[in-house]
Amino acid sequence: MHDLADRLDRLCRLLGGGELARRAREYGVAEHLERVLGAVRDGTDPEWIRADLDALDEAFARHGIDGLTTRTRAYQPLSGTVGHPVLRGWVCPAAHRCSRFTQHDTGTPGGDAGPVCEALGTPLVRVEIPL
């Protein structure tokens, strides 16, 4: 029941301005949103609208908006699986970074010594980006 209260809290915070309702219509789940809002107004047991909240989350996730009423999901590999590949390289060390990215070359002599930012005269920052 507590998770439903949290989900409704997240939904209520997003209702302002009308964008959520507009997108619900666009994504074909306006009736689910209306049932949820009706249940909140009528004091209905939130357990009755769990499926509607799930439908809203699924529809928005299909359009790139993850975690509408739930916390954003994260990738967790199953035991014994390899997981996602990782892109390794270096990025700009400045406080306001440029878009420079230099991919890690495993065949470079000297190992992990990275390239240098010519503007600052300091090494680029090593990063690992899970794909």
Side-chain angles (χ1 to χ4, degrees):
M1 183 73 151
H2 181 68
D3 73 309
L4 286 173
D6 289 341
R7 292 177 75 180
L8 289 171
D9 172 52
R10 290 179 60 87
L11 187 70
C12 285
R13 291 174 190 267
L14 296 170
L15 285 169
E19 184 178 1
L20 181 83
R22 181 185 60 76
R23 287 187 184 222
R25 285 190 302 275
E26 183 180 326
Y27 302 159
V29 289
E31 71 280 359
H32 295 284
L33 180 59
E34 285 305 315
R35 276 195 296 268
V36 168
L37 297 177
V40 170
R41 288 183 204 109
D42 297 341
T44 304
D45 180 357
E47 202 56 51
W48 287 94
I49 57 170
R50 183 181 294 274
D52 289 311
L53 289 169
D54 291 344
L56 287 168
D57 282 340
E58 290 170 17
F60 277 75
R62 281 192 304 271
H63 290 87
I65 302 170
D66 193 23
L68 183 71
T69 71
T70 60
R71 290 188 172 82
T72 304
R73 294 174 282 192
Y75 171 77
Q76 293 181 342
L78 293 173
S79 299
T81 62
V82 177
H84 288 250
V86 175
L87 179 64
R88 292 177 177 84
W90 293 271
V91 296
C92 177
H96 298 283
R97 293 183 170 157
C98 71
S99 60
R100 182 176 178 189
F101 175 81
T102 303
Q103 190 167 345
H104 178 67
D105 183 3
T106 56
T108 303
D112 287 327
V116 173
C117 170
E118 297 302 326
L120 298 178
T122 60
L124 295 182
V125 177
R126 182 169 165 70
V127 294
E128 293 188 354
I129 304 167
L131 301 178

